[in-house]
Amino acid sequence: MQKTKLILCIALLTLVLGACEKPEELWKLPATGPATVASINMGASYDNAIFFTLKTGAVESRNTYSWHLGFSTEATENHIILNGGNEVQIHQTNDTSFSNTHTVKPSTEWLWDNPNGKIDSTAFAGWYDTKTNTSANLVYIIDLGSKAQVRFKKIKILSVSSTAFKIKYANLDGTQEFTSEILKNTHTNYTYFNADNNAVVAFEPENRSWDLLFTRYRHLYYDMDPVTPYYVNGALMNTKYVWVKETKEFSFDEIDLAKANQLLLTQKADEIGYDWKFFDLNGTGKYRVDSKKIFIIKDKDGYLYKLRFVDFYDESGAKGVPKFAYQRL
């Protein structure tokens, strides 16, 4: 009997304390009212890479030039990206001996990443032998760009596992050789590496926390012969969790949820890209925005937004400050 009374007392006390506990507040999305206008300051020299979150309007700024190589982080992934905005490019030597002498010549042919984000369109795509599931042991010359302490190095990707990449790199004359293990940071899309100081860089925020990246990057003009690289400034998307589609079929005000749902969205990284603006050579001599380009974006939480750009300058006339209106549908 005493045991039963004790159990009842404990149960009653639990109910009382539970009733006094303040319930956790759930995140409330803003109403689908007037469009929100935001601006991103990339800097006149585009030093700032800005990660933007649609749901909260939060921004996180990083140094565009802080990294050279990005290593994929999923257990089964083995691809590597270049920081095109930092002028990084590679040359495949067709040699497997790291001790051989390698030089840069005027005739050296360089490889670049396609900014569409597809892993089979990366410059390093041939480093991994899919038949043997091992490194092809190829030696690459890597150009780290004009801001590097030593611009040209040679590099070999030795191996990849579910948790890390292993690389060897040195100056072209073989000095300052390093073998580094690049651990996969599963909280980001890539682990970012600075080859100047042999260090991993905390460049990307947690990959479920952002939607768009405003940054300098390398665009490739495939319609030119030869293919011509060009540095541009625009918006790339989080290809793990975000979907986008450009449209000119409707005006910004006309687009509602029903119309947005008719569009076939893509995970092409540069779907928004840079060409929502153009340089007016014959008129103002400044960048002008194509306000007819509307972008439908499905964010990392599955909500649809519409977005259009309205300016590329701040109130004082400084460039590198994209201004855009966006609205949840």
Side-chain angles (χ1 to χ4, degrees):
M1 191 67 170
Q2 288 295 109
K3 185 177 180 180
T4 303
K5 286 183 179 180
L6 179 60
I7 293 173
L8 289 172
C9 287
I10 292 173
L12 182 61
L13 180 61
T14 301
L15 286 172
V16 171
L17 291 175
C20 296
E21 183 180 351
K22 185 178 179 180
E24 181 180 354
E25 292 186 4
L26 298 176
W27 171 263
K28 294 181 181 179
L29 279 169
T32 56
T36 299
V37 177
S39 61
I40 299 296
N41 191 345
M42 301 172 67
S45 299
Y46 311 108
D47 292 345
N48 303 324
I50 308 292
F51 293 88
F52 184 78
T53 306
L54 289 162
K55 183 169 73 173
T56 63
V59 298
E60 290 198 44
S61 179
R62 301 289 192 270
N63 186 332
T64 301
Y65 307 109
S66 63
W67 63 282
H68 300 103
L69 300 175
F71 296 85
S72 54
T73 57
E74 295 288 342
T76 58
E77 290 178 341
N78 55 51
H79 58 281
I80 303 164
I81 61 171
L82 313 178
N83 186 349
N86 199 10
E87 307 174 14
V88 181
Q89 54 187 358
I90 62 171
H91 167 70
Q92 203 263 80
T93 65
N94 286 318
D95 187 8
T96 58
S97 175
F98 197 77
S99 61
N100 286 347
T101 300
H102 300 91
T103 59
V104 175
K105 304 174 183 177
S107 59
T108 296
E109 295 183 356
W110 296 102
L111 301 173
W112 313 287
D113 289 351
N114 187 322
N116 64 13
K118 293 183 178 179
I119 62 175
D120 59 354
S121 301
T122 58
F124 266 116
W127 86 264
Y128 189 75
D129 187 336
T130 55
K131 294 180 180 179
T132 62
N133 290 322
T134 59
S135 172
N137 282 316
L138 294 168
V139 177
Y140 295 85
I141 294 175
I142 182 168
D143 177 0
L144 298 176
S146 59
K147 296 180 182 297
Q149 297 171 24
V150 178
R151 179 156 188 168
F152 299 104
K153 293 181 181 286
K154 56 184 176 180
I155 184 171
K156 178 186 282 193
I157 315 301
L158 300 175
S159 64
V160 63
S161 69
S162 61
T163 59
F165 285 81
K166 194 173 183 180
I167 66 173
K168 179 164 65 174
Y169 67 104
N171 295 334
L172 294 183
D173 62 4
T175 60
Q176 295 188 337
E177 181 178 313
F178 290 94
T179 298
S180 296
E181 185 178 49
I182 315 296
L183 297 179
K184 293 183 174 183
N185 179 1
T186 56
H187 298 292
T188 56
N189 293 340
Y190 292 92
T191 299
Y192 299 85
F193 184 75
N194 185 308
D196 256 345
N197 53 25
N198 191 33
V200 169
V201 178
F203 177 75
E204 181 190 345
E206 196 275 327
N207 57 14
R208 290 184 179 273
S209 71
W210 64 277
D211 300 305
L212 304 177
L213 168 60
F214 292 84
T215 189
R216 182 178 193 246
Y217 66 96
R218 181 188 282 120
H219 177 75
L220 301 181
Y221 286 96
Y222 286 100
D223 55 348
M224 299 180 71
D225 188 16
V227 175
T228 302
Y230 192 74
Y231 299 112
V232 296
N233 308 285
L236 304 176
M237 71 174 188
N238 185 340
T239 54
K240 284 282 178 73
Y241 301 108
V242 179
W243 298 73
V244 183
K245 184 63 180 178
E246 175 191 320
T247 182
K248 282 189 171 182
E249 189 175 352
F250 308 103
S251 71
F252 186 81
D253 291 335
E254 289 174 332
I255 293 178
D256 56 16
L257 187 60
K259 289 184 174 65
N261 277 323
Q262 295 173 12
L263 299 174
L264 184 62
L265 305 184
T266 176
Q267 286 191 299
K268 182 183 172 186
D270 60 343
E271 177 70 4
I272 296 177
Y274 71 96
D275 57 358
W276 43 267
K277 63 184 184 311
F278 60 95
F279 195 77
D280 188 358
L281 283 170
N282 301 318
T284 62
K286 297 174 64 176
Y287 284 102
R288 293 178 59 188
V289 168
D290 184 353
S291 59
K292 293 183 179 180
K293 285 192 174 186
I294 313 299
F295 299 95
I296 304 302
I297 307 170
K298 182 195 286 186
D299 76 352
K300 55 190 173 52
D301 297 311
Y303 293 99
L304 286 172
Y305 293 80
K306 57 182 177 181
L307 181 150
R308 69 180 178 93
F309 290 90
V310 296
D311 209 342
F312 191 61
Y313 297 85
D314 66 11
E315 290 74 10
S316 65
K319 68 175 182 177
V321 189
K323 182 182 290 185
F324 51 94
Y326 66 103
Q327 183 178 16
R328 184 173 64 85
L329 300 172

